[in-house]
Amino acid sequence: MVRRLLHMRGAPNRESLLPHKYSDWLMLGLLVALWGSAFAFAKIAIETVAPEWTMAGRLITGAVLLLPLTLRAGEALPRNGQDWSWLAGLALVGNIAPFFVISWGQQYVPSALAGILIGFTPLATLVIAHVLLTEERITPMRAAGFVIGFAGLVVVLGPRALTDLTAGGERLLGQFAVLLGACLFACNNVMARRAPEMPLLVKASGVMLAGAFAGSALASAITPPATLADASAASLLGVAGLGIFSTGLAALVFFRLVDRAGATFVSLTNYLVPVFAAVAGFLVFGEELKLRVLMGLALILAGIAVSEWRASLKE
């Protein structure tokens, strides 16, 4: 799958997005795995690496991974300011800003509630795409499917997390920060769909490069780079895993899939990633896998089936 992605060129398919092909579903599953593994990598990385340098490090690693592949494929990075403005915007809206505000918000928000708030991404994408993308209009079945999927996410993370919603002080600011991160992810989904047409490797590596420069500058302003000398080998490997799998390779899959299947379809990953993270935590760290995760997964899959029902009717 990754090898096929590396050799895909040319303009994206801007025609009708439905029905989705089997390859789209395979790429969606791969993207869920790549993004879902970030929780395990980050858990190891932040033990001795500051969160801001974890963010910058994953973008630097992603750039180091993708730039040589781009040059080896005979591609050239953009030379005009308009393309670089888009790439920088995608890096800011899709990586730097959401990672920063969500990390800040999680200082005051329990992880389960943060997961639910981030789960607003598909719903926000649905609304934004309806306004800005003529090919991705809201339909009753799609809206119902996304609501069912969100209900499944609440079951996965525990309905009790909703009781943590509060209207006071820093906790409220933290909740708004995580919700802002979800909205930024939604905006990034739509921005990626509307971005200028360019080869896949150029787009992915350009975003990583722009993000690496901006992310490093932000991290340096917060924490001196010299603190990385105290990082453990395990944490550095965690950062490398984040950069290679959850950032670099994920960017390739994300941009290819959003061009093929649309922003709304890609946003479904935000329902599935917490499930993958829970299963990965069970397999890797021996964390408890609760029955509600499996029940929530069933509800999420039902929601996806409902939202995509129109596709099956058109086949």
Side-chain angles (χ1 to χ4, degrees), residues 114-141:
I116 289 175
L117 292 173
I118 294 173
F120 275 101
T121 299
L123 299 174
T125 303
L126 189 67
V127 174
I128 297 172
H130 177 79
V131 174
L132 298 179
L133 302 176
T134 57
E135 70 272 24
E136 297 193 45
R137 296 301 187 187
I138 296 176
T139 64
M141 292 294 285

Side-chain angles (χ1 to χ4, degrees), residues 42-294:
K43 185 173 183 177
I44 299 171
I46 61 175
E47 288 180 357
T48 59
V49 177
E52 54 272 16
W53 277 110
T54 298
M55 174 272 294
R58 67 187 294 180
L59 290 168
I60 293 170
T61 305
V64 170
L65 171 71
L66 295 181
L67 280 174
L69 293 177
T70 303
L71 298 176
R72 185 175 180 181
E75 305 287 3
L77 293 175
R79 296 184 179 181
N80 64 80
Q82 182 179 3
D83 285 348
W84 275 112
S85 295
W86 271 97
L87 295 173
L90 288 167
L92 176 64
V93 175
N95 293 280
I96 298 171
F99 292 158
F100 182 78
V101 297
I102 290 171
S103 297
W104 185 88
Q106 285 188 288
Q107 297 177 95
Y108 312 104
V109 176
S111 59
L113 179 57
I116 289 175
L117 292 173
I118 294 173
F120 275 101
T121 299
L123 299 174
T125 303
L126 189 67
V127 174
I128 297 172
H130 177 79
V131 174
L132 298 179
L133 302 176
T134 57
E135 70 272 24
E136 297 193 45
R137 296 301 187 187
I138 296 176
T139 64
M141 292 294 285
R142 174 172 280 180
F146 274 62
V147 172
I148 293 171
F150 181 75
L153 178 65
V154 173
V155 172
V156 168
L157 298 173
R160 257 193 259 178
L162 293 175
T163 63
D164 288 319
L165 285 171
T166 182
E170 291 180 333
R171 289 175 64 85
L172 180 62
L173 291 176
Q175 292 159 18
F176 276 124
V178 176
L179 195 57
L180 174 60
C183 293
L184 288 168
F185 283 141
C187 291
N188 183 64
N189 290 337
V190 176
M191 284 178 62
R193 180 72 182 167
R194 292 178 64 97
E197 296 175 1
M198 61 186 76
L200 176 64
L201 275 170
V202 172
K203 186 183 294 184
S205 60
V207 168
M208 291 298 105
L209 185 60
F213 277 109
S216 298
L218 176 62
S220 298
I222 299 173
T223 303
T227 59
L228 294 173
D230 299 324
S232 68
S235 290
L236 293 177
L237 287 174
V239 173
L242 278 171
I244 294 171
F245 299 104
S246 305
T247 308
L249 294 180
L252 286 175
V253 180
F254 168 76
F255 286 119
R256 179 56 183 169
L257 186 58
V258 81
D259 279 340
R260 282 173 54 100
T264 305
F265 183 75
V266 172
S267 71
L268 293 172
T269 56
N270 292 90
Y271 290 152
L272 293 168
V273 163
V275 178
F276 181 91
V279 174
F282 169 74
L283 296 175
V284 177
F285 297 108
E287 298 174 350
E288 182 182 2
L289 183 62
K290 297 182 179 180
L291 178 61
R292 71 165 185 258
V293 173
L294 301 178

